């Protein structure tokens, strides 16, 4: 798969911007889906998210989690509550890719698992074998995935998470923007906010 090969060769945001001619938008009205007029969640959703959050915190307290475990404990239940497993959405899984990030002290290695919903929403789950990788380390690959979408002239979105943090990305007409970091590890309300953003994005891509 050509898109997969691209994600393996692009390791920095600068490389992604150069390869695809991308630029980061600073316009306040470009990526409103992560903060403006977000859908409310009802009491039943709050209860389900509370159970999800407590379950994740319990297992996370035992140490870092593999990406498959993060998918099982956090991502999949979150997508269920957000309604992204229901029509009109269809899911497909991309082949996992390895990720290598060099920092000041060591080279971090891990994996990225990718789910695609309706070709316009990409869910990126990171895992590190040794040290928890930052969600930002997968941003170059996420931009490459979004550029591989068959609908590049309409808004495409990515959700990046390592379990502890969640970041949303929007790409449209070779411009992209990034949300603030949502940190489920710190509080249940952060998970609720991320769920509301997912529902807002779902409304956009339907």
């Amino acid at each position: 798969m050509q898109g997969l090969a691209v994600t393996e060769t692009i390791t920095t945001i600068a490389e992604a911007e150069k390869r695809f001619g991308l630029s980061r938008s600073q316009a306040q009205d470009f990526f409103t889906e992560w903060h403006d007029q977000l859908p409310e969640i009802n009491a039943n959703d709050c209860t389900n998210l509370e159970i999800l959050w407590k379950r994740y915190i319990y297992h996370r307290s035992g140490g870092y989690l593999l990406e498959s475990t993060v998918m099982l404990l956090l991502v999949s239940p979150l997508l269920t509550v957000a309604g992204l497993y229901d029509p009109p959405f269809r899911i497909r899984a991309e082949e996992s890719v390895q990720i290598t990030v060099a920092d000041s002290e060591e080279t971090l290695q891990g994996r990225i698992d990718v789910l695609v919903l309706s070709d316009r929403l990409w869910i990126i789950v990171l895992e590190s074998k040794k040290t928890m990788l930052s969600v930002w380390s997968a941003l170059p690959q996420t931009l490459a995935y979004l550029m591989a979408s068959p609908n590049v002239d309409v808004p495409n979105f990515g959700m990046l998470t390592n379990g502890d943090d969640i970041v949303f990305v929007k790409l449209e007409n070779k411009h992209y923007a990034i949300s603030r970091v949502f940190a489920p590890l710190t509080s249940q309300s952060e998970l609720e906010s991320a769920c509301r953003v997912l529902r807002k994005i779902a409304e956009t891509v339907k």
Side-chain angles (χ1 to χ4, degrees):
M1 174 183 172
Q2 184 178 3
L4 183 61
V6 169
T7 65
E8 293 175 325
T9 59
I10 296 178
T11 59
T12 68
I13 295 173
E15 288 174 334
E17 290 178 341
K18 182 178 180 180
R19 171 74 70 90
F20 300 114
L22 301 177
S23 61
R24 183 171 177 177
S25 175
Q26 299 296 325
Q28 294 295 316
D29 60 351
F30 179 76
F31 190 7
T32 60
E33 290 86 358
W34 75 266
H35 61 79
D36 188 35
Q37 297 181 336
L38 299 181
E40 295 298 328
I41 54 177
N42 59 36
N44 185 58
D45 293 332
C46 286
T47 298
N48 289 332
L49 290 170
E50 179 182 10
I51 294 171
L52 165 58
W53 182 76
K54 288 181 177 179
R55 184 180 296 141
Y56 178 76
I57 295 302
Y58 168 73
H59 289 282
R60 178 64 176 82
S61 66
Y64 292 129
L65 303 174
L66 298 178
E67 88 287 345
S68 57
T69 308
V70 172
M71 188 77 77
L72 180 67
L73 289 175
L74 184 75
V75 176
S76 186
L78 179 59
L79 294 178
T80 299
V81 175
L84 288 168
Y85 284 150
D86 302 318
F89 298 102
R90 290 189 182 276
I91 190 168
R92 78 171 190 268
E94 294 289 333
E95 183 178 344
S96 297
V97 299
Q98 293 295 121
I99 179 172
T100 301
V101 179
D103 67 6
S104 58
E105 297 180 353
E106 62 179 332
T107 299
L108 309 180
Q109 293 186 330
R111 279 164 37 105
I112 299 178
D113 277 356
V114 182
L115 299 178
V116 188
L117 297 154
S118 294
D119 289 325
R120 292 181 58 193
L121 174 57
W122 299 67
I123 310 297
I124 314 296
V125 184
L126 293 88
E127 170 265 332
S128 174
K129 297 292 190 295
K130 190 173 181 181
T131 305
M132 179 63 77
L133 285 169
S134 163
V135 290
W136 302 113
S137 63
L139 181 58
Q141 289 87 350
T142 300
L143 292 173
Y145 278 122
L146 294 178
M147 283 300 298
S149 168
N151 307 295
V152 294
D153 295 328
V154 295
N156 286 270
F157 299 89
M159 185 186 89
L160 297 73
T161 184
N162 55 14
D164 294 356
D165 298 321
I166 296 174
V167 172
F168 296 94
V169 181
K170 179 179 180 178
L171 176 69
E172 183 178 9
N173 295 323
K174 296 197 173 182
H175 297 287
Y176 72 94
I178 305 166
S179 74
R180 75 166 176 88
V181 176
F182 296 85
L185 188 63
T186 63
S187 71
Q188 179 186 331
S189 64
E190 288 288 277
L191 190 60
E192 293 174 357
S193 296
C195 184
R196 295 176 68 198
V197 175
L198 275 172
R199 286 188 171 174
K200 181 69 174 184
I201 291 174
E203 293 176 356
T204 304
V205 302
K206 280 182 179 178

